[in-house]
Structure formats: structure tokens, C-alpha cells
């Protein structure tokens, strides 16, 4: 068909995401799915009851375009308590359809054709397509494969007169790296010197381990004034299927952000916003998450301890990266597929998070699973013929 031939893809290099592929393969082989990052367990019954309450009490029509004010106020309060920075609920906070929408809209707000955007790789997969759909050019800075430091000098050398924005993610998916206060100071110095907008993906803000603290760009005044901070309740309340997220940004950025948000989705699911607003009033509901996941990380790591993997540091998020360089020469995609088929355990190959071909012989396992599942997965991995 002529029409089909004439259709020019806007994302010619994009296929089905690795998360969808590995989840489908896991299903086909009835494998334990430690691949796609989502909790195996349900959200709290109290939170479910709150949704029920608001559905039954008629909160079923469009929410206001920027989100239910009650939820924006609850987010302003928790942000102030954590960072000391005040975001105005009316002018500076927008409720979005997951962090994915927040990130997409933030990037679309600032990137014009020809603009360059710094992206650290390995990177979560939604940043680059968003940049490209706005005609922007992703410029990659590769994180040290050992994940122990960020080379700020390398970042500086990638900045040109065309650099418009920088995308960061802490705690980091896929590596589990948590940025330090000095990383954020280095970022602030560069962003100020080159007048960059920062898009900060902080969806794992409440999952940090071993006494570390999440340092939000919101807590650094010189960054907060030039940043979009994108968050999600999917990770925090085990509700990835609700696709409820938010974006904090100073009013001059939020005004432009909302122009796009209003024509992308207009507003997002109403009763869930009221439920989450009420649930947020008890900080214990999110401040206990780090301990909950740290125990799971440790349980999983101990169980896979004698396989021969080299465990990379997991400082936050719900991911554990392991190098199998000692055990096999296979490339990471081939191995992830073989383990799914033969061992019955699905993971994500780290190479999927790079814009170019790489093979660090590393797999990412998601430990947001029941203890039984983690122990069973470790048992199955031990039986593999390497
Ligand atoms: N950023 C990162 C780093 C993620 O891992 C995810 C999803 N797991 C998202 C953004 C998307 O969040 P949401 O599901 O709220 O759209
Ligand atoms: N963020 C999840 C992960 O990293 C997946 C989200 C998705 O499937 N798009 O596994």
C-alpha cells in the first residue's frame, strides 16, 4: 500500500521494550519474572479501601487539569519535610499519568529541534525517545561500569553551546546507584555555568539502603529553580498499575509544562488521587520502604551468594545487578533469554539500557518479589550449567 510505504517512522530505531519482551518470554516459559520492575505483592488493603471510599463517594469525574488540590497539597508537605523546599501546590505541582508522562512532558517542554540533551547511560528507556520526538539530540555520558563514581569532567566535556538540558535519575535504574550530595553540587555548578534545565527522575526516592539518604534536586535551591522533579506513587505504594505520578517545578516551568500536559491527558484518574492524598498523611506508609526492600535485597544476595556472580553495589531502587563474567562468555541478552528458557528465571540484560552495542556481562534482577519467589529463583539459578 502506497500509504504504508509513505509512512515515515518518527522512532525508526525503536522496537518493543526489553521489559515487554522479557515479561512475554517469562510468561511463555512459566519462568519467575525478576525482569520487569514491578512488585509481586499487592498494595495495602487500607489504600484499596480508600480507593473504594472515593469511588463510592462520587469522585468519578475529571479531576482538575493540574490534579486534585488535596493531593498536590500532600505532595508539597512531604517535599517540604524532606527537602526544606516549598513548592506551591497551585502553581508548581502537577499530577501526571505516572512518572513516564511527567518525564515526557518535561522533556517536551524544554527541548526544541537541534537541542542537545545530556543523558547518562545506562539509562531508563523512556528518556531518549522523548528527546528525539522533540527533535533533540541525546548526548551520552557513560557511567563507570563499576558504578562507583560519576565522572563530572566527562560530563563537562560533552556540554556544547547547543546543550539545553540534562536528565538525571537517582536512585538509578538499572544500576541502583544513589547520587551523593557532592554529585548534586557538581551538577548544580555545571547547570548554572551552562544554563541547563535539569530533568530529575526520582521515582525510587523512598528506596535507599544502608543508611543512605536520597538527595533530591529539590533540596538544592540553585537546582530546584531550574529543574523538573519527576516522581511516581507506583514504586512507593506498590501500585505501578495506577500510573499515578507527579512533577514539581518552579512556576515558569510548570506553566509551560501544563500547556502540554493538558493536551496529552488533560487530567488523571480522580478517585486514586484522593486515596493517595489521604494515605500520604501517614509518613510511615512510605518511610518504611527502604527497610522493607533492603531486607529483600540482602535475602536475595545471600541466596545467590555462592553461584559465582560478582554482585554490583545496590544502593537503592529494587534492582540488583550481577556480573557473570567469571561464569560465562555469552552475551547478556543471549544469557538472559537462556536463563528464562532453561532455568525458569527471567532478568534484564544490562545492554538494553545503552544507546549503542555493549556487553558488560551483567544482568539486572528485580527483587520486589515475595521472599519465596526470591529463594526459589536463587535455587533455580544454582542448577544452571554455566
Ligand atoms: N523512571 C524510572 C527510572 C523507572 O524505573 C520507571 C518505571 N519503573 C519510570 C520512570 C516510570 O514510572 P511510572 O510507572 O510511574 O510511569
Ligand atoms: N521501570 C520498569 C523497569 O525498569 C519497567 C517499566 C515498563 O515496563 N515500562 O523494569
Amino acid at each position: 500500500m502506497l500509504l504504508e510505504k509513505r509512512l515515515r517512522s518518527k522512532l525508526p530505531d525503536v522496537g518493543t521494550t526489553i521489559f515487554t519482551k522479557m515479561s512475554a518470554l517469562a510468561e511463555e516459559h512459566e519462568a519467575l519474572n525478576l525482569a520487569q520492575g514491578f512488585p509481586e505483592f499487592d498494595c495495602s488493603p487500607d489504600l484499596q479501601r480508600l480507593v473504594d471510599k472515593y469511588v463510592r463517594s462520587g469522585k468519578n469525574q475529571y479531576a482538575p487539569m493540574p490534579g486534585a488540590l488535596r493531593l498536590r497539597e500532600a505532595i508539597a508537605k512531604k517535599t517540604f519535610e524532606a527537602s526544606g523546599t516549598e513548592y506551591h501546590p497551585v502553581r508548581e505541582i502537577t499530577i501526571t499519568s505516572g512518572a513516564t508522562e511527567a518525564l515526557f512532558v518535561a522533556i517536551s517542554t524544554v527541548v526544541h529541534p537541534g537541542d542537545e540533551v545530556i543523558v547518562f547511560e545506562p539509562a531508563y528507556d523512556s528518556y531518549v525517545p522523548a528527546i528525539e520526538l522533540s527533535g533533540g539530540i541525546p548526548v551520552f555520558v557513560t557511567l563507570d561500569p563499576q558504578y562507583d563514581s560519576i565522572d563530572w569532567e566527562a560530563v563537562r566535556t560533552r556540554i556544547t553551546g547547543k546543550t539545553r538540558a540534562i536528565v538525571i535519575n537517582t536512585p538509578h535504574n538499572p544500576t541502583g546507584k544513589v547520587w551523593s550530595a557532592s554529585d548534586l553540587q557538581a551538577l548544580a555548578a555545571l547547570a548554572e555555568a551552562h544554563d541547563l534545565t535539569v530533568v530529575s527522575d526520582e521515582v525510587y526516592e523512598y528506596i535507599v539502603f544502608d543508611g543512605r539518604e536520597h538527595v533530591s534536586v529539590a533540596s538544592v535551591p540553585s537546582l530546584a529553580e531550574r529543574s523538573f522533579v519527576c516522581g511516581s506513587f507506583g514504586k512507593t505504594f506498590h501500585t505501578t498499575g495506577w500510573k499515578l505520578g507527579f512533577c514539581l517545578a518552579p512556576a515558569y516551568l510548570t506553566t509551560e509544562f501544563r500547556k502540554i500536559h493538558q493536551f496529552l491527558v488533560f487530567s488523571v484518574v480522580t478517585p486514586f488521587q484522593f486515596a493517595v492524598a489521604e494515605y500520604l498523611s501517614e509518613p510511615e506508609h512510605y518511610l518504611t520502604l527502604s527497610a522493607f526492600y533492603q531486607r529483600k535485597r540482602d535475602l536475595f544476595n545471600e541466596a545467590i551468594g555462592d553461584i559465582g556472580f560478582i554482585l554490583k553495589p545496590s544502593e537503592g531502587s529494587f534492582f540488583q545487578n550481577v556480573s557473570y563474567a567469571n561464569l560465562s562468555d555469552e552475551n547478556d541478552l543471549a544469557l538472559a533469554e537462556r536463563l528464562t528458557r532453561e532455568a525458569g528465571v527471567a532478568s534484564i540484560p544490562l545492554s538494553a539500557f545503552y544507546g549503542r552495542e555493549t556487553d558488560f556481562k551483567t544482568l539486572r534482577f528485580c527483587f520486589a518479589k515475595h521472599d519465596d519467589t526470591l529463594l526459589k529463583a536463587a535455587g533455580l539459578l544454582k542448577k544452571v550449567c554455566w
Side-chain angles (χ1 to χ4, degrees):
M1 211 194 349
L2 188 59
L3 207 58
E4 190 176 339
K5 278 199 194 127
R6 278 201 348 233
L7 178 67
R8 273 199 300 140
S9 172
K10 290 202 167 176
L11 293 170
D13 301 328
V14 169
T16 309
T17 78
I18 189 72
F19 309 115
T20 306
K21 272 194 204 151
M22 292 310 297
S23 282
L25 198 67
E27 205 165 308
E28 185 188 334
H29 294 278
E30 294 178 12
L32 300 174
N33 189 352
L34 274 58
Q36 193 175 19
F38 63 90
E40 188 180 16
F41 20 85
D42 210 350
C43 61
S44 142
D46 289 344
L47 185 52
Q48 295 176 16
R49 274 190 286 275
L50 286 171
V51 173
D52 188 55
K53 172 174 128 182
Y54 286 108
V55 168
R56 285 172 197 274
S57 64
K59 298 286 190 205
N60 297 309
Q61 308 310 326
Y62 291 132
M65 179 276 281
L69 186 57
R70 213 181 288 174
L71 179 55
R72 287 183 278 148
E73 286 169 344
I75 293 171
K77 182 167 175 289
K78 85 172 178 70
T79 306
F80 180 71
E81 283 163 5
S83 69
T85 301
E86 283 184 44
Y87 282 89
H88 195 287
V90 174
R91 294 192 299 274
E92 300 184 318
I93 300 179
T94 310
I95 310 303
T96 58
S97 179
T100 307
E101 194 227 339
L103 290 159
F104 190 90
V105 174
I107 289 168
S108 308
T109 301
V110 292
V111 177
H112 289 264
D115 287 346
E116 294 178 0
V117 182
I118 304 277
V119 177
F120 292 91
E121 58 175 12
Y124 183 60
D125 66 349
S126 79
Y127 312 147
V128 169
I131 294 165
E132 291 179 341
L133 283 171
S134 279
I137 302 155
V139 174
F140 294 104
V141 175
T142 302
L143 290 176
D144 178 337
Q146 294 310 317
Y147 314 142
D148 33 45
S149 61
I150 293 164
D151 182 348
W152 287 103
E153 186 45 28
V155 180
R156 199 188 56 73
T157 61
R158 307 296 277 148
I159 296 175
T160 72
K162 290 187 184 160
T163 311
R164 180 74 191 87
I166 179 163
V167 182
I168 72 156
N169 171 212
T170 178
H172 188 254
N173 178 7
T175 65
K177 170 94 186 154
V178 173
W179 283 27
S180 65
S182 66
D183 286 324
L184 287 219
Q185 290 304 337
L187 172 67
L190 279 185
E192 269 185 277
H194 300 277
D195 203 18
L196 307 180
T197 304
V198 177
V199 177
S200 184
D201 178 349
E202 303 187 12
V203 301
Y204 300 101
E205 62 184 320
Y206 295 113
I207 314 179
V208 284
F209 306 137
D210 307 313
R212 281 184 187 80
E213 288 201 2
H214 166 63
V215 192
S216 171
V217 300
S219 66
V220 180
S222 63
L223 280 173
E225 68 187 25
R226 55 175 66 252
S227 300
F228 294 97
V229 184
C230 304
S232 173
F233 295 108
K235 318 291 161 180
T236 305
F237 294 141
H238 312 320
T239 53
T240 58
W242 293 6
K243 294 300 292 184
L244 199 57
F246 57 91
C247 181
L248 318 175
Y252 74 97
L253 290 176
T254 294
T255 304
E256 291 302 313
F257 178 99
R258 287 182 184 168
K259 288 183 188 172
I260 300 177
H261 164 78
Q262 71 182 342
F263 294 122
L264 194 57
V265 293
F266 183 72
S267 65
V268 305
V269 61
T270 309
F272 292 80
Q273 294 191 49
F274 283 93
V276 167
E278 191 168 330
Y279 199 66
L280 276 172
S281 65
E282 184 45 77
E284 203 194 319
H285 289 152
Y286 48 92
L287 297 181
T288 49
L289 203 62
S290 290
F292 173 81
Y293 276 123
Q294 184 173 322
R295 198 191 60 76
K296 290 205 176 280
R297 178 200 65 177
D298 293 346
L299 178 98
F300 181 60
N301 286 355
E302 199 184 322
I304 59 171
D306 52 4
I307 294 178
F309 290 139
I310 299 161
L311 304 185
K312 303 284 180 93
S314 169
E315 302 176 345
S317 82
F318 43 46
F319 302 114
Q320 175 63 53
N321 287 224
V322 307
S323 160
Y324 58 87
N326 288 348
L327 301 170
S328 163
D329 277 341
E330 270 173 286
N331 80 48
D332 63 358
L333 176 61
L335 181 65
E337 288 175 351
R338 182 165 76 85
L339 291 181
T340 309
R341 282 193 313 267
E342 293 177 12
V345 182
S347 58
I348 300 283
L350 196 76
S351 58
F353 297 88
Y354 288 82
R356 63 196 158 85
E357 246 179 63
T358 58
D359 182 16
F360 291 113
K361 310 258 176 264
T362 298
L363 300 175
R364 187 198 80 173
F365 289 99
C366 172
F367 52 78
K369 308 293 159 186
H370 291 301
D371 291 0
D372 280 1
T373 305
L374 295 173
L375 295 173
K376 207 167 149 198
L380 293 168
L381 288 169
K382 278 183 200 167
K383 292 193 201 136
V384 171
C385 225
W386 293 99

